[in-house]
Amino acid sequence: MTNSMLLSPPDITDLEESYVIRALRSSWPAPGGPEVERFERELAAFVGVAEVVAVSSGTAALHLSLLAAGIGPGDVVAVPALTFAATVNAVHYVGAQPLIVDVAPGDGTIDVDLLGDVLDANRGVTAVIPVDLFGHCADYPRLLPLARRHGVAVVCDAAEALGASLAGRAAGAVGRAGIFSFNGNKILTTSGGGAVATDDRDLAAQCRRLANQARLPVAHFEHDAVGYNYRLSAVLAALGRAQLQRLPGMMKRRRTIRERYLDAFADRPEIAVLGGDDPGGNCWLTAITVDPAAGWRAGQLADALAAAGVETRPMWRPMHRQPAYTDAPTALTGAADRIDASGLVLPNGSAATDDAVEHLFAELRRFLASPRPDRAARSRSRKEG
Ligand SMILES: *Cc1c(COP(=O)(O)O)cnc(C)c1O
């Protein structure tokens, strides 16, 4: 369908093609090498950190950051209930224990008051991984002093938040380290990739070493630790360099779409946009919640948009609801469950054509003018029950 609109497809142009072809024709299409170093330097300058270590995925970046920050067996790591599973998995990779902390109802990032209660309660937390959900920064102005007071390490999962900022600090540039993902659906893609960002040169060196099999700089393949093969390929780094040049433009396009949403919902008090109109957000995706008293449910809007070729997603299932983590200790208020039950993620991709965007908002207006009556509401109240 020509008017179809996907959630956040890759936004690839001739510039990316030319960079990739040049890297393929160069004498160094292998992992590492000058193209990766250029990407790291350019990204470090963009984010405003001393060091960036480019790796094969955001998950690998999380794993390495936790290892390099010295987090391992015996540590308890606070993670927010709303995130992608990789945040929690990385805690398991290093042999630490995740503790799932509920989120702030307004933006879905870790609830800092609740985190304070958890830290006061001496539940053994030694580190926290705040997540900049959907490209909106966690509440760092309150979280960082709290973590400092309790001597808790902060590693930021900014996988979704490249280009975002809060109170003058760039996403990924707070705490001991921040990580980004360059997966295909993220705001900048290398088709698959990630990075660690940090001002701590030792931590960066440690990540670089572990990503390269902890191989010593000698010819005879000697290793002084158990490392990983987490390096980024030079071809993908070239793709990332082209994407980085276009990032301000891609963010501007997403912001335009976000503003259309805010406009469309301005006189609809039953709809809340997670993170509100945060001027520092990168507008990766637009997530909304629909008041249960509205008389219609997010799922009905999803059905109406799907029929019109517009992709939406339900909210990410909270971590304490995941079969994989049923044993994890929690601190819950019900906020993540309420967001999950009433939420919907709307498309915000920078590659969408003007026609596709007009089509989306025409369909949205049509639905909001007369939402279909909610026949299924009673039988679908499973999550609240
Ligand atoms: C995408 C994502 C990751 C993982 O990134 P990959 O590159 O897919 O490994 C981690 N955390 C969050 C919050 C993400 O959205």
Side-chain angles (χ1 to χ4, degrees):
M1 186 185 293
T2 52
N3 279 332
S4 71
M5 181 146 178
L6 298 172
L7 210 60
S8 181
D11 182 349
I12 302 294
T13 64
D14 292 349
L15 185 73
E16 283 82 353
E17 283 186 19
S18 69
Y19 270 62
V20 167
I21 288 169
R22 200 179 54 194
L24 279 171
R25 289 177 182 160
S26 80
S27 56
W28 200 311
E35 199 66 17
V36 173
E37 284 162 22
R38 284 184 207 112
F39 180 46
E40 290 180 339
R41 272 201 304 276
E42 288 162 6
L43 194 57
F46 179 84
V47 176
V49 288
E51 292 261 2
V52 158
V53 182
V55 292
S56 54
S57 71
T59 308
L62 271 170
H63 186 186
L64 292 177
S65 309
L66 294 180
L67 285 172
I71 294 156
D75 285 309
V76 177
V77 183
V79 295
L82 281 185
T83 182
F84 178 60
T87 317
V88 189
N89 288 343
V91 175
H92 282 287
Y93 296 166
V94 300
Q97 167 77 63
L99 189 157
I100 298 167
V101 177
D102 220 318
V103 298
D107 67 7
T109 65
I110 195 163
D111 181 332
V112 177
D113 293 318
L114 185 61
L115 178 65
D117 293 345
V118 168
L119 295 176
D120 284 338
N122 289 324
R123 296 178 67 180
V125 172
T126 48
V128 55
I129 311 180
V131 176
D132 302 329
L133 194 69
F134 301 123
H136 165 82
C137 289
D139 188 358
Y140 293 111
R142 293 179 58 231
L143 187 147
L144 292 174
L146 176 73
R148 207 172 305 121
R149 232 178 10 259
H150 287 269
V152 165
V154 178
V155 171
C156 301
D157 184 342
E160 304 172 357
L162 179 61
S165 63
L166 179 67
R169 311 270 308 261
V174 284
R176 291 220 47 203
I179 73 96
F180 300 112
S181 165
F182 311 129
N183 191 34
N185 61 348
K186 295 291 176 8
I187 194 160
L188 178 155
T189 186
T190 58
S191 76
V196 179
T198 183
D199 284 326
D200 182 334
R201 295 204 186 265
D202 291 338
L203 187 141
Q206 184 75 336
C207 289
R208 204 164 267 128
R209 169 175 164 272
L210 290 173
N212 194 22
Q213 307 277 27
R215 191 181 154 194
L216 295 171
V218 291
H220 55 267
F221 286 87
E222 201 170 311
H223 309 262
D224 61 352
V226 177
Y228 303 86
N229 179 7
Y230 281 168
R231 295 169 307 170
L232 185 68
S233 125
V235 176
L236 303 190
L239 177 50
R241 291 184 66 211
Q243 286 264 286
L244 190 56
Q245 283 192 29
R246 293 187 48 245
L247 183 58
M250 294 196 291
M251 281 173 52
K252 205 164 150 213
R253 173 78 172 156
R254 286 179 190 259
R255 163 83 39 201
T256 309
I257 299 172
R258 167 66 57 85
E259 274 161 9
R260 296 277 305 258
Y261 280 122
L262 292 171
D263 243 30
F265 302 147
D267 58 349
R268 307 295 301 221
E270 76 271 35
I271 303 173
V273 174
L274 275 195
D277 55 0
D278 169 22
N282 69 1
C283 305
W284 176 49
L285 295 174
T286 297
I288 61 167
T289 54
V290 180
D291 189 325
W296 58 276
R297 294 166 58 89
Q300 292 166 272
L301 174 57
D303 291 346
L305 291 177
V310 175
E311 184 186 25
T312 64
R313 281 275 177 85
M315 198 62 62
W316 316 156
R317 178 61 32 90
M319 292 302 110
H320 57 279
R321 301 266 171 217
Q322 301 285 349
Y325 314 131
T326 44
D327 292 344
T330 57
L332 300 174
T333 60
D337 283 339
R338 281 190 292 277
I339 292 174
D340 177 36
S342 64
L344 188 67
V345 183
L346 299 169
N348 225 120
S350 55
T353 63
D354 289 345
D355 280 354
V357 173
E358 293 312 321
H359 173 69
L360 156 68
F361 283 99
E363 292 299 326
L364 195 56
R365 274 194 304 275
R366 196 206 310 267
F367 177 87
L368 291 177
S370 60
R372 279 181 293 132
D374 192 355
R375 276 165 284 127
R378 270 159 297 134
S379 62
R380 275 198 272 165
S381 58
R382 154 185 79 82
K383 286 174 191 162
E384 285 99 336

